Each structure stands twice: as C-alpha cells, then as structure tokens.
Amino acid sequence: MQLKRSTRSRLLAGLVVLILPLAAGAAPLVPGTSFPPLSLEDQHGKTVSTRADTRIVLFAADKAANDLINEVLAAQPAGVLGTLNAVYFADISAMPALVTRMFALPALREMPFAVGLGRDATQLADLPRQKGAATILRLADGKVIAIEYAHNTGQLKQAIGLKCT
C-alpha cells in the first residue's frame, strides 16, 4: 500500500521533529566520556576555558548551587581555582537580562574568582545537574572520571579538597 505524498511528508516531518532533539544534543557526560572544550565569558568579560590540565569543573545550574559555590570560594585565598586546576561555570540562561545586568553581574564582579557564565541554555546543557546542588566533575586527561554533587559547604569543601572547618 502506497501512502499519498502529503501523508508521507507529514510522517517524515513528524519523525524529524521526534529525532532532531535527540541528534542535536550530545551524549550526556558520564564517567569515561571526554569533556568537551568549553569557553565562556566571565563576569568581567574575560574568557574562562577548560584546559588540558583542568582537574575539576564546578557547575551551578541554579541559584542555590551558585550561592553554595560562591560561599565556599569567597572564603578561600585569591587564586584557589588555579591552585586546584579548577574552573567554575554557572548557568544564568534562565535569569532575565535586566536582573542579570542590574544585580547578578555587579555582585559577581565583587567575587575574587572568575565564573564562566552560560547565558544561553545550550552552552551548559550537557553538564549533569541536581536541583539545589553544586556539580563537581573530576577530569583526568580530558575525560570525566567522576561526578559528585554537593548540597552543603562541608560536602563541597571535601569534594574539592579544601579543609572543612
């Protein structure tokens, strides 16, 4: 039985709509997968990038995670991310532009560390996340070797190798 041309076109269009999101997104990051090169502009307009020697990627997908990471890092000496071979990325894509410009960026500019800001939801979409938790990705030779989530300052400090006080 042959389908009419219009029916075939609708079926093909329906398949494309179903398959396109699957093809567009990269495979989720899990231990053993390569961490994609990532470069984002920070709160000062400079580039924050993963490098070959990056060992820790801190990621905040929401305000609670961002507040947690900021609290821990702000209490550390300047340069702590470099000492840890770490980078910090935050997804701010859901934040309204006015709020970002008027409140978030001025507050972030006071921080003594760089935060790579994901202003477009697709930039950090493949990074794993849990609501209210900081994501810690451990890397070795450009591959993800572990993924952890921190829900409080003690967990985060322990995960990134800082003394808990």
Side-chain angles (χ1 to χ4, degrees):
M1 178 175 138
Q2 282 198 341
L3 297 173
K4 290 183 189 177
R5 184 181 298 231
S6 63
T7 304
R8 276 191 306 218
S9 296
R10 277 188 258 137
L11 282 173
L12 183 59
L15 283 173
V16 168
V17 167
L18 290 173
I19 294 172
L20 191 57
L22 298 174
L29 290 174
V30 295
T33 59
S34 293
F35 191 87
L38 191 53
S39 291
L40 296 176
E41 190 174 283
D42 74 2
Q43 68 269 38
H44 302 288
K46 297 179 180 173
T47 302
V48 174
S49 302
T50 53
R51 301 177 316 268
D53 66 342
T54 300
R55 297 289 170 243
I56 298 171
V57 175
L58 297 174
F59 172 57
D62 57 32
K63 184 175 181 346
N66 185 61
D67 290 345
L68 174 61
I69 295 172
N70 287 347
E71 180 182 346
V72 168
L73 294 180
Q76 302 304 312
V80 67
L81 290 174
T83 302
L84 297 170
N85 288 329
V87 293
Y88 172 19
F89 295 111
D91 185 347
I92 63 167
S93 62
M95 190 180 298
L98 182 64
V99 173
T100 300
R101 192 172 50 254
M102 298 289 292
F103 303 103
L105 286 176
L108 284 169
R109 286 183 183 123
E110 293 178 14
M111 297 294 178
F113 49 84
V115 184
L117 302 172
R119 296 172 188 256
D120 180 333
T122 61
Q123 293 173 305
L124 299 167
D126 295 332
L127 296 186
R129 61 196 73 214
Q130 283 184 359
K131 185 174 175 71
T135 302
I136 303 101
L137 296 112
R138 294 189 184 288
L139 309 180
D141 300 321
K143 292 192 182 291
V144 177
I145 58 171
I147 300 170
E148 300 173 55
Y149 300 96
H151 295 87
N152 60 53
T153 58
Q155 289 175 338
L156 182 55
K157 286 178 181 179
Q158 183 177 9
I160 62 175
L162 298 174
K163 290 185 179 183
C164 295
T165 54

